[in-house]
């Protein structure tokens, strides 16, 4: 017992064990996930940027590469304004060492996304450690991020939103370091972190007002740091601007004009004209109600975390009320709390007020989730300390202690149930709903919009049909998910599949992820022979055609 007590008091060993185990878990699981809807487009956009860079840096050599001829020009590519910093080095490596099987590079990209997610979890750990005064509480914050089913699942393939979450978290950490001790080195580090986030998603621009606003706040409450902070900002701003342009080839020719265009494109997704299934109706992404994002956040976040977030908000509000806003802000911890509040509520309220175009749930706002968790961990810390407070033995005090203990036990059991579901529902954690029954999910919300379950559906078909050629089909609007997930199978299995139109799939199989067809299919479409259900809701149906 003494050994284990000493071991778990050793911060370095416990932290290394946690993150080392997380890396090993990613290595073990990254081949379990199919290919998401966005991956081919992200890969193509990265190749477009790579071609542009090659033609600028080594035009004669690039002109002799036959593979580049089929890649669109950056000036005519519809998605050229999407940041490609993360994918760019991966497609360059893919071009240099393509290998015999294209699926291998898809799996390598999945592993790369997860490893960056581990770095983001480390950022949450360090931010929690800084604010809560203990590495254990910081590690708990990182643990809750890992035990967030949707984000854990998407951390294997979502090279946009999860990559941005990780980079944004690291940028907030470098901002905190800069505010605590402004130096030239920390200014450059924060500039690099800001540029990295911005060069993946233009929403990273919110780091600029966060940096300037909280630097001004530090200057107001720490007069001795005004000159060092001003000098650091004078270095940070131009350095960030240069690094943003350097890491985003789309900006090279017209930095300001193209950056503004990219911001407008991200804010309104002007090229997209799709409907989403929300609260039982199909709604245009341009006509979504204000509550779309907060409702999706609420129903897909584990309920213990939501409850703890509420406790954290109440605790912060009580501290402001007790001390008064001006006096409250004199504390460094209070300014840290204000940073978390701005990080979480600023983008969320902006999307709600400005009616920004969203789709696929709240994934465009995933980057605010670490702030949510850090506030939730503060709530848990307050509950824990209140439960530990020595009381005078009065019946009312004993009752209070019992009640707090019951609340903490319920939260622990709820979190354990989240972990159990993540294991039981692997690899479909990305369609997790917290407390809704399956029927309510099917009748009101979209499920597998990524289409990853197609991979497991195809594996089932091939395992239960021994024919050398097996016809498979999907609705034309979702057929892309069938084509790309077929490529994730081993070559021998892939060769047995014949993708056909639904009208010519007699004797074959029709697969549906229910994206634009939430209900069951008529008998004329075939006999259901296989379904995948998560949390009581069907996310994939395989029908055998007659």
């Amino acid at each position: 017992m003494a050994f284990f007590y000493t071991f778990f008091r050793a911060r370095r060993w416990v932290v290394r064990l946690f993150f080392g185990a997380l890396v090993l878990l990613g290595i073990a699981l990254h081949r379990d996930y199919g290919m998401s809807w966005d991956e081919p487009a992200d890969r193509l956009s990265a190749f477009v940027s790579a071609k542009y860079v090659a033609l600028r840096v080594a035009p004669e050599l690039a002109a002799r590469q036959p593979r580049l001829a089929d890649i669109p020009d950056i000036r005519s590519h519809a998605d050229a304004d999407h940041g490609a910093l993360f994918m760019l080095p991966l497609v360059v490596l893919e071009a240099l060492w393509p290998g015999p099987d294209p699926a291998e590079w898809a799996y390598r990209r999945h592993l790369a996304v997860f490893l960056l997610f581990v770095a983001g979890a480390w950022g949450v750990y360090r931010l929690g450690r800084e604010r809560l005064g203990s590495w254990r509480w910081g590690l708990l914050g990182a643990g809750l991020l890992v035990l967030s089913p949707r984000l854990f699942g998407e951390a294997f393939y979502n090279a946009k939103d999860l990559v941005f979450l990780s980079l944004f978290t690291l940028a907030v950490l470098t901002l905190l370091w800069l505010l605590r001790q402004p130096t030239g080195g920390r200014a450059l580090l924060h500039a690099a972190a800001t540029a990295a986030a911005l060069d993946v998603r233009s929403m990273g621009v919110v780091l600029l007002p966060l940096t300037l606003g909280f630097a001004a706040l530090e200057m107001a409450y720490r007069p001795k740091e005004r000159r060092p902070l001003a000098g650091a900002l004078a270095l940070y701003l131009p350095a960030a601007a240069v690094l943003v342009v350097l890491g985003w080839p789309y900006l090279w020719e017209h930095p300001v004009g193209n950056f503004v265009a990219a911001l407008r494109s991200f804010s309104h997704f002007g090229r997209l004209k799709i409907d989403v299934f929300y609260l039982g109706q199909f709604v245009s992404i341009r006509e979504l109600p204000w509550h779309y994002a907060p409702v999706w956040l609420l129903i897909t976040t584990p309920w213990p975390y939501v409850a703890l977030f509420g406790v954290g908000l109440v605790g912060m509000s009580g501290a402001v009320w007790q001390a008064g806003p001006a006096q409250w802000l004199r504390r460094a911890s209070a300014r840290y709390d204000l940073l978390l509040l701005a990080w979480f509520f600023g983008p969320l309220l902006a999307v709600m007020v400005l009616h920004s175009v969203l789709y696929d749930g709240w994934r465009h706002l995933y980057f605010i989730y670490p702030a949510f968790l850090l506030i939730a961990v503060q709530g848990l810390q307050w509950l824990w300390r209140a439960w530990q407070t020595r009381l005078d033995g009065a019946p009312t005090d004993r009752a209070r202690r019992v009640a707090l203990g019951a609340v903490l036990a319920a939260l622990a059991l709820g979190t354990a149930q989240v972990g159990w579901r993540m294991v039981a529902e692997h690899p479909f954690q990305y369609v997790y709903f917290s407390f809704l029954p399956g029927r309510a999910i099917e009748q009101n919300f979209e499920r597998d919009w990524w289409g990853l379950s197609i991979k497991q559906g195809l594996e089932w078909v091939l395992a239960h049909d021994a024919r050398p050629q097996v016809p498979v089909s999907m609705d034309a609007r979702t057929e892309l998910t069938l084509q790309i997930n077929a490529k994730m199978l081993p070559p021998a299995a892939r060769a047995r599949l014949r993708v056909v139109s639904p009208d010519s799939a007699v004797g074959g199989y029709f697969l549906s992820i229910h994206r634009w067809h939430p209900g069951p299919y008529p008998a004329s479409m075939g006999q259901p022979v296989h379904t995948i259900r998560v949390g009581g809701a069907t996310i994939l149906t395989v029908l055998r055609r007659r």
Side-chain angles (χ1 to χ4, degrees):
M1 287 296 293
F3 168 78
F4 288 105
Y5 178 75
T6 303
F7 179 80
F8 284 103
R9 285 178 59 87
R11 172 181 61 84
R12 181 177 300 177
W13 285 107
V14 175
V15 172
R16 287 179 178 178
L17 178 64
F18 176 87
F19 288 103
L22 194 54
V23 169
L24 294 177
L25 185 65
I27 294 173
L29 300 182
H30 76 281
R31 290 179 175 270
D32 296 349
Y33 296 84
M35 186 181 294
S36 70
W37 193 298
D38 283 357
E39 287 183 67
D42 294 341
R43 176 176 173 271
L44 177 59
S45 294
F47 268 116
V48 168
S49 293
K51 175 180 178 178
Y52 175 77
V53 173
L55 289 172
R56 291 291 297 268
V57 175
E60 295 183 1
L61 178 62
R64 294 196 299 268
Q65 305 302 315
R67 187 170 184 176
L68 295 181
D70 297 329
I71 298 173
D73 185 81
I74 198 170
R75 299 172 186 85
S76 59
H77 184 55
D79 293 334
D81 55 359
H82 292 189
L85 179 67
F86 175 76
M87 290 287 287
L88 187 57
L90 296 177
V91 299
V92 170
L93 291 173
E94 180 184 349
L96 294 175
W97 298 286
D101 187 359
E104 285 304 311
W105 268 105
Y107 287 127
R108 290 168 189 168
R109 289 193 297 269
H110 286 191
L111 181 58
V113 175
F114 188 82
L115 292 178
L116 189 56
F117 173 72
V118 174
W122 178 83
V124 172
Y125 155 71
R126 288 302 303 266
L127 286 167
R129 174 180 151 190
E130 293 280 347
R131 171 60 186 90
L132 300 169
S134 167
W135 64 269
R136 295 179 182 82
W137 289 106
L139 199 60
L140 179 61
L144 293 185
L145 178 62
V146 174
L147 285 177
S148 297
R150 287 219 169 215
L151 276 75
F152 179 84
E154 294 195 29
F156 285 97
Y157 59 84
N158 189 341
K160 291 180 180 177
D161 310 298
L162 263 295
V163 166
F164 183 56
L165 176 152
S166 300
L167 293 175
F168 197 96
T169 301
L170 294 172
V172 174
L173 178 61
T174 60
L175 170 59
L176 184 65
W177 288 344
L178 177 63
L179 296 176
R180 292 280 175 84
Q181 186 178 348
T183 64
R186 293 190 175 196
L188 292 175
L189 180 63
H190 182 49
T194 299
L198 233 165
D199 286 345
V200 169
R201 271 211 183 276
S202 54
M203 180 64 82
V205 72
V206 302
L207 286 164
L208 298 176
L210 280 179
T211 299
L212 296 176
F214 281 89
L217 200 61
E218 290 297 310
M219 291 180 184
Y221 286 94
R222 295 167 62 200
K224 293 182 179 180
E225 299 295 338
R226 288 176 183 171
R227 181 170 293 181
L229 269 172
L233 291 178
L235 180 60
Y236 162 77
L237 291 172
V242 170
L243 292 173
V244 166
V245 175
L246 184 63
W248 196 347
Y250 172 71
L251 303 181
W252 286 10
E253 292 187 1
H254 306 287
V256 177
N258 284 357
F259 182 70
V260 172
L263 284 178
R264 290 175 177 170
S265 175
F266 179 81
S267 300
H268 301 289
F269 295 100
R271 294 184 295 271
L272 290 176
K273 296 180 180 179
I274 60 175
D275 294 336
V276 297
F277 188 59
Y278 179 64
L279 295 182
Q281 298 180 357
F282 284 101
V283 185
S284 168
I285 60 174
R286 302 177 185 283
E287 299 175 1
L288 290 175
W290 64 268
H291 48 74
Y292 179 79
V295 166
W296 266 104
L297 190 157
L298 176 66
I299 63 177
T300 59
T301 301
W303 70 262
Y305 310 173
V306 176
L308 289 172
F309 176 78
V311 174
L313 287 183
V314 170
M316 289 182 181
S317 301
V320 175
W321 178 266
Q322 185 176 10
Q327 192 64 30
W328 177 70
L329 282 174
R330 290 185 179 278
R331 299 195 295 250
S333 60
R335 297 192 294 274
Y336 183 107
D337 289 346
L338 186 61
L339 175 60
L340 295 180
L341 293 171
W343 180 1
F344 178 77
F345 284 107
L348 179 61
L349 292 176
V351 163
M352 294 165 62
V353 172
L354 299 176
H355 299 287
S356 298
V357 172
L358 300 174
Y359 57 94
D360 296 349
W362 62 289
R363 70 181 184 92
H364 301 98
L365 290 170
Y366 280 171
F367 71 98
I368 69 175
Y369 189 64
F372 175 95
L373 290 180
L374 290 168
I375 294 172
V377 174
Q378 282 202 51
L380 179 59
Q381 187 184 59
W382 285 325
L383 287 177
W384 178 258
R385 288 177 175 173
W387 180 75
Q388 284 189 315
T389 301
R390 293 188 176 184
L391 307 174
D392 59 11
T396 55
D397 288 340
R398 290 197 300 270
R400 172 173 171 250
R401 186 178 179 87
V402 169
L404 285 172
V407 169
L408 289 170
L411 293 169
L413 289 174
T415 304
Q417 191 256 0
V418 172
W420 176 85
R421 280 191 59 182
M422 289 179 66
V423 174
E425 296 170 359
H426 177 77
F428 307 112
Q429 301 95 340
Y430 59 91
V431 288
Y432 169 88
F433 286 85
S434 177
F435 53 85
L436 293 177
R439 185 169 180 81
I441 296 169
E442 293 177 350
Q443 293 177 342
N444 291 282
F445 300 101
E446 291 182 314
R447 285 150 274 165
D448 186 9
W449 54 67
W450 292 112
L452 270 72
S453 59
I454 294 297
K455 177 175 181 282
Q456 282 74 22
L458 292 175
E459 290 172 342
W460 184 92
V461 167
L462 292 174
H464 290 80
D465 193 319
R467 289 178 294 175
Q469 290 287 299
V470 183
V472 291
S473 64
M474 286 189 73
D475 179 271
R477 292 173 295 179
T478 56
E479 186 180 306
L480 175 63
T481 61
L482 180 64
Q483 295 172 345
I484 61 179
N485 278 285
K487 297 178 181 178
M488 301 293 283
L489 302 178
R494 192 186 314 153
R496 292 180 55 208
L497 293 172
R498 184 162 56 90
V499 179
V500 299
S501 68
D503 295 335
S504 59
V506 177
Y509 300 87
F510 180 85
L511 289 79
S512 175
I513 53 175
H514 299 280
R515 179 162 191 177
W516 288 293
H517 194 287
Y521 283 85
S524 60
M525 288 299 296
Q527 177 68 31
V529 292
H530 180 61
T531 59
I532 295 177
R533 299 175 68 84
V534 178
T538 299
I539 67 169
L540 174 78
T541 300
V542 179
L543 297 96
R544 178 69 186 263
R545 305 300 303 274
R546 295 186 179 90

